[in-house]
Amino acid sequence: MSQAVDECGVLTIDGPSGSGKGTVARRVADALGWRLLDSGALYRLTALAAMRDGVRLDDIAGVSAIAAGLDAKFDVADDGDERILLRGEDVTAAIRNENCGELASQVAQHDEVRKALVGLQKSYRKPPGLVADGRDMGTVIFPDAGSKVFLTASPEERARRRYKQLKEKGISANLARLSIDISERDKRDATRAIAPLRPAADAVQIDTTGLSIDEVVALVVELVRDRLSQPQL
Ligand code: DC
């Protein structure tokens, strides 16, 4: 789609967990001076808020109401680390654990929950630009984005990265268990009826297995700059 409808630059980065999306999205957003939307965090916050409010995850209307009124704030702490607030409370560590990711994947199956989060996700689109990280950013939320990337990596590599990430955060993890959980979650995300994980037809696919974060960031930044420099149709 033409860049003309995309006055505020939008780059979508979709892919399965452990593909490096989150880190790449943050680094690319910094390099371009654009805002960042971590859409997975919104599903994680919805699941966490539902648990805290005693709403069962199969109560779709209840979970959707929580998603529609989600009070989420994304901040950067003094040490440069991300800080995610739910109703004013710092829940950064709580939403990053694997259990919360699993619960997020469950609530994300429901069309009503997904619809309840559409407006919030779109509200992040503000000049000079937005890097949107998720599963359906290029296919559903920002189909007219000027640049789209779909990141993949082998399942073994993704489990290893997740393991390293969790260890670094002081969260205990088991590599074999992680590997199984990741493939189950991928399967659920890719086969669900609504907004399944899949590359947009016009996304550039990058296999990050064997590439460093720096290499992937450089590739993606180059892609966006290239697209921005193309004459608008
Ligand atoms: O990217 P993540 O691991 O933080 O995402 C957690 C879950 O949320 C993931 O298993 C699927 C779901 N999700 C989604 O369905 N759509 C998105 N755009 C982002 C995440």
Side-chain angles (χ1 to χ4, degrees):
M1 187 153 289
S2 94
Q3 194 79 41
V5 292
D6 194 16
E7 284 154 11
C8 153
V10 178
L11 162 68
T12 58
I13 304 186
D14 290 305
S17 44
S19 57
K21 278 178 309 131
T23 313
V24 170
R26 185 163 298 110
R27 293 264 309 268
V28 171
D30 283 348
L32 297 170
W34 288 5
R35 301 179 88 196
L36 176 68
L37 165 62
D38 174 358
S39 61
L42 300 181
Y43 288 96
R44 288 171 183 260
L45 287 167
T46 299
L48 182 65
M51 300 300 288
R52 291 196 168 172
D53 288 358
V55 173
R56 289 172 46 129
L57 296 191
D58 58 3
D59 171 2
I60 300 170
V63 177
S64 303
I66 285 179
L70 199 65
D71 175 5
K73 200 159 172 260
F74 294 83
D75 247 359
V76 178
D78 293 340
D79 57 7
D81 282 352
E82 70 169 350
R83 214 164 59 109
I84 301 175
L85 306 178
L86 174 64
R87 301 163 180 164
E89 184 197 339
D90 186 344
V91 294
T92 319
I95 69 153
R96 287 296 169 219
N97 74 43
E98 287 302 290
N99 184 44
C100 196
E102 169 61 30
L103 301 177
S105 171
Q106 285 176 30
V107 303
Q109 304 302 303
H110 304 296
D111 193 28
E112 284 178 44
V113 176
R114 304 196 70 85
K115 286 203 174 110
L117 288 172
V118 169
L120 179 57
Q121 293 177 84
K122 290 195 168 170
S123 73
Y124 280 79
R125 184 179 194 153
K126 291 208 178 94
L130 174 69
V131 177
D133 158 8
R135 304 289 191 291
D136 62 341
M137 298 294 98
T139 49
V140 176
I141 306 294
F142 303 109
D144 58 347
S147 314
K148 299 182 186 180
V149 167
F150 191 86
L151 298 185
T152 55
S154 70
E156 300 75 26
E157 172 73 11
R158 292 192 284 120
R160 264 197 305 274
R161 286 180 188 166
R162 202 62 162 189
Y163 180 78
K164 193 165 161 263
Q165 239 176 26
L166 291 169
K167 284 277 169 198
E168 279 167 6
K169 287 182 180 153
I171 301 170
S172 71
N174 171 296
L175 187 57
R177 184 68 243 166
L178 264 181
S179 201
I180 295 167
D181 289 350
I182 281 184
S183 48
E184 278 175 5
R185 181 131 59 99
D186 283 355
K187 197 161 153 220
R188 189 186 308 128
D189 293 344
T191 56
R192 69 177 171 224
I194 318 293
L197 169 67
R198 65 175 173 82
D202 50 351
V204 174
Q205 297 198 42
I206 303 175
D207 183 345
T208 67
T209 316
L211 293 181
S212 69
I213 292 286
D214 284 347
E215 287 169 321
V216 183
V217 169
L219 279 173
V220 176
V221 168
E222 192 186 323
L223 174 95
V224 175
R225 295 213 163 116
D226 209 46
R227 291 280 155 91
L228 290 173
S229 67
Q230 281 168 19
Q232 299 191 357
L233 299 174

